[in-house]
Coordinates of all heavy atoms in Angstrom, one line a residue:
H30 N -3.1 -56.6 79.0 CA -3.9 -55.4 79.2 C -4.2 -55.2 80.6 O -4.3 -54.1 81.2 CB -5.0 -55.3 78.2 CG -4.6 -55.4 76.9 ND1 -3.9 -54.5 76.2 CD2 -4.6 -56.5 76.0 CE1 -3.7 -54.9 75.0 NE2 -4.1 -56.2 74.8
V31 N -4.8 -56.2 81.2 CA -5.3 -56.2 82.6 C -4.3 -55.8 83.5 O -4.2 -55.0 84.5 CB -6.1 -57.4 83.0 CG1 -6.6 -57.5 84.4 CG2 -7.3 -57.7 82.0
H32 N -3.1 -56.5 83.4 CA -1.9 -56.4 84.2 C -1.3 -55.0 84.2 O -1.1 -54.3 85.2 CB -0.9 -57.4 84.0 CG 0.4 -57.3 84.8 ND1 0.3 -57.5 86.2 CD2 1.7 -57.1 84.4 CE1 1.6 -57.4 86.6 NE2 2.4 -57.1 85.6
R33 N -1.4 -54.5 83.0 CA -0.9 -53.1 82.8 C -1.8 -52.0 83.5 O -1.3 -51.1 84.1 CB -0.8 -52.8 81.4 CG -0.2 -51.4 81.0 CD -0.3 -51.1 79.4 NE -1.7 -50.9 79.1 CZ -2.2 -51.5 78.1 NH1 -1.5 -52.3 77.3 NH2 -3.5 -51.4 77.7
E34 N -3.1 -52.2 83.5 CA -4.0 -51.2 84.0 C -4.4 -51.5 85.5 O -4.9 -50.5 86.2 CB -5.4 -51.1 83.1 CG -5.0 -50.6 81.8 CD -6.3 -50.2 81.0 OE1 -7.3 -50.1 81.6 OE2 -6.1 -50.0 79.8
A35 N -4.2 -52.7 86.0 CA -4.6 -52.9 87.4 C -4.1 -52.0 88.4 O -5.0 -51.6 89.3 CB -4.2 -54.4 87.7
P36 N -2.8 -51.6 88.4 CA -2.4 -50.8 89.5 C -3.1 -49.4 89.7 O -3.5 -48.9 90.6 CB -0.9 -50.5 89.2 CG -0.5 -51.6 88.4 CD -1.7 -52.1 87.6
E37 N -3.4 -48.9 88.4 CA -4.2 -47.5 88.5 C -5.7 -47.7 89.0 O -6.3 -46.7 89.4 CB -4.2 -46.9 87.2 CG -5.1 -47.5 86.1 CD -5.0 -46.7 84.7 OE1 -3.8 -46.7 84.2 OE2 -5.9 -46.2 84.3
H38 N -6.1 -49.1 89.0 CA -7.5 -49.2 89.6 C -7.3 -49.9 91.1 O -8.2 -50.3 91.7 CB -8.2 -50.2 88.8 CG -8.5 -49.6 87.5 ND1 -9.7 -48.8 87.3 CD2 -7.9 -49.6 86.3 CE1 -9.7 -48.4 86.0 NE2 -8.7 -48.8 85.4
G39 N -6.2 -49.9 91.6 CA -5.8 -50.3 92.9 C -5.8 -52.0 93.1 O -5.9 -52.4 94.2
F40 N -5.4 -52.6 92.1 CA -5.4 -54.0 92.1 C -4.1 -54.6 91.9 O -3.2 -54.0 91.0 CB -6.2 -54.7 90.9 CG -7.7 -54.7 91.4 CD1 -8.4 -53.4 91.0 CD2 -8.5 -55.5 92.0 CE1 -9.8 -53.4 91.3 CE2 -9.8 -55.5 92.3 CZ -10.5 -54.4 92.0
T41 N -3.7 -55.9 92.4 CA -2.6 -56.6 91.9 C -3.0 -57.7 91.0 O -4.3 -58.0 91.1 CB -1.8 -57.2 93.1 OG1 -2.7 -58.2 93.8 CG2 -1.3 -56.1 94.1
T42 N -2.2 -58.3 90.2 CA -2.6 -59.3 89.4 C -1.7 -60.5 89.6 O -0.5 -60.4 89.9 CB -2.5 -59.0 87.9 OG1 -1.2 -58.4 87.7 CG2 -3.7 -58.0 87.6
T43 N -2.3 -61.8 89.5 CA -1.5 -63.0 89.5 C -2.0 -63.9 88.4 O -3.4 -64.0 88.3 CB -1.7 -63.7 90.9 OG1 -1.3 -62.8 92.0 CG2 -1.0 -65.1 90.8
G44 N -1.3 -64.5 87.7 CA -1.8 -65.5 86.7 C -1.6 -66.9 87.1 O -0.6 -67.3 87.8
I45 N -2.5 -67.8 86.6 CA -2.5 -69.2 86.9 C -2.4 -69.9 85.6 O -3.3 -69.7 84.8 CB -3.5 -69.8 87.9 CG1 -3.4 -69.0 89.1 CG2 -3.6 -71.2 88.0 CD1 -4.6 -69.3 90.1
D46 N -1.6 -70.9 85.4 CA -1.6 -71.9 84.3 C -0.8 -73.1 84.7 O 0.2 -72.9 85.4 CB -1.1 -71.3 82.9 CG -1.8 -72.0 81.8 OD1 -1.2 -73.1 81.5 OD2 -2.5 -71.4 81.2
L47 N -1.4 -74.2 84.3 CA -0.6 -75.4 84.7 C 0.7 -75.7 83.8 O 1.5 -76.4 84.3 CB -1.6 -76.6 84.3 CG -2.8 -76.8 85.2 CD1 -3.7 -78.0 84.7 CD2 -2.6 -76.9 86.7
D48 N 0.8 -75.0 82.8 CA 1.8 -75.1 81.8 C 3.0 -74.2 82.3 O 2.9 -73.0 82.2 CB 1.4 -74.8 80.4 CG 2.6 -75.1 79.4 OD1 3.8 -74.8 79.7 OD2 2.1 -75.3 78.1
P49 N 4.1 -74.7 82.7 CA 5.2 -73.8 83.1 C 5.8 -72.9 82.0 O 6.2 -71.8 82.4 CB 6.3 -74.7 83.6 CG 6.0 -76.2 83.1 CD 4.5 -76.1 82.7
D50 N 5.7 -73.4 80.9 CA 6.2 -72.6 79.7 C 5.3 -71.3 79.6 O 5.8 -70.1 79.3 CB 6.3 -73.4 78.4 CG 7.4 -74.3 78.4 OD1 8.2 -74.1 79.3 OD2 7.2 -75.3 77.7
K51 N 4.1 -71.5 79.7 CA 3.0 -70.2 79.7 C 3.3 -69.4 80.8 O 3.1 -68.1 80.6 CB 1.7 -70.9 79.6 CG 1.3 -71.6 78.2 CD -0.1 -72.1 78.1 CE -0.3 -72.8 76.8 NZ -1.6 -73.6 76.9
R52 N 3.5 -69.9 81.9 CA 3.7 -69.0 83.2 C 5.0 -68.3 82.9 O 5.1 -67.0 83.2 CB 3.8 -69.9 84.4 CG 2.5 -70.5 84.8 CD 2.6 -71.0 86.2 NE 3.7 -71.8 86.6 CZ 3.8 -73.1 86.4 NH1 2.7 -73.8 85.8 NH2 4.8 -73.7 86.8
A53 N 6.1 -69.0 82.5 CA 7.4 -68.3 82.3 C 7.2 -67.3 81.1 O 7.9 -66.1 81.3 CB 8.5 -69.3 81.8
A54 N 6.4 -67.4 80.1 CA 6.3 -66.5 79.1 C 5.6 -65.2 79.6 O 6.0 -64.1 79.3 CB 5.5 -67.0 77.8
A55 N 4.5 -65.4 80.4 CA 3.9 -64.2 81.0 C 4.7 -63.4 81.9 O 4.8 -62.3 82.1 CB 2.6 -64.7 81.5
E56 N 5.5 -64.2 82.7 CA 6.4 -63.5 83.5 C 7.4 -62.6 82.8 O 7.7 -61.6 83.3 CB 7.1 -64.6 84.6 CG 6.2 -65.1 85.6 CD 6.8 -66.4 86.2 OE1 8.0 -66.7 86.0 OE2 6.1 -67.1 87.1
G57 N 8.0 -63.4 81.9 CA 9.1 -62.6 81.0 C 8.5 -61.5 80.2 O 9.2 -60.5 80.2
A58 N 7.5 -61.6 79.6 CA 6.9 -60.6 78.8 C 6.2 -59.5 79.5 O 6.4 -58.3 79.2 CB 5.8 -61.2 77.8
Y59 N 5.6 -59.8 80.6 CA 4.8 -58.6 81.3 C 5.2 -58.5 82.9 O 4.7 -57.6 83.5 CB 3.3 -59.2 81.5 CG 2.7 -59.5 80.1 CD1 1.9 -60.7 80.0 CD2 3.1 -58.9 78.8 CE1 1.4 -61.2 78.8 CE2 2.6 -59.4 77.7 CZ 1.7 -60.4 77.6 OH 1.2 -60.8 76.4
G60 N 6.1 -59.3 83.3 CA 6.5 -59.1 84.8 C 5.4 -59.5 85.6 O 5.4 -59.1 86.8

Side-chain angles (χ1 to χ4, degrees):
H30 301 286
V31 174
H32 180 62
R33 183 186 65 230
E34 292 193 20
E37 71 184 66
H38 295 276
F40 286 88
T41 62
T42 51
T43 302
I45 295 179
D46 202 287
L47 297 174
D48 185 329
D50 293 334
K51 290 177 182 174
R52 291 193 314 272
E56 290 170 3
Y59 312 137

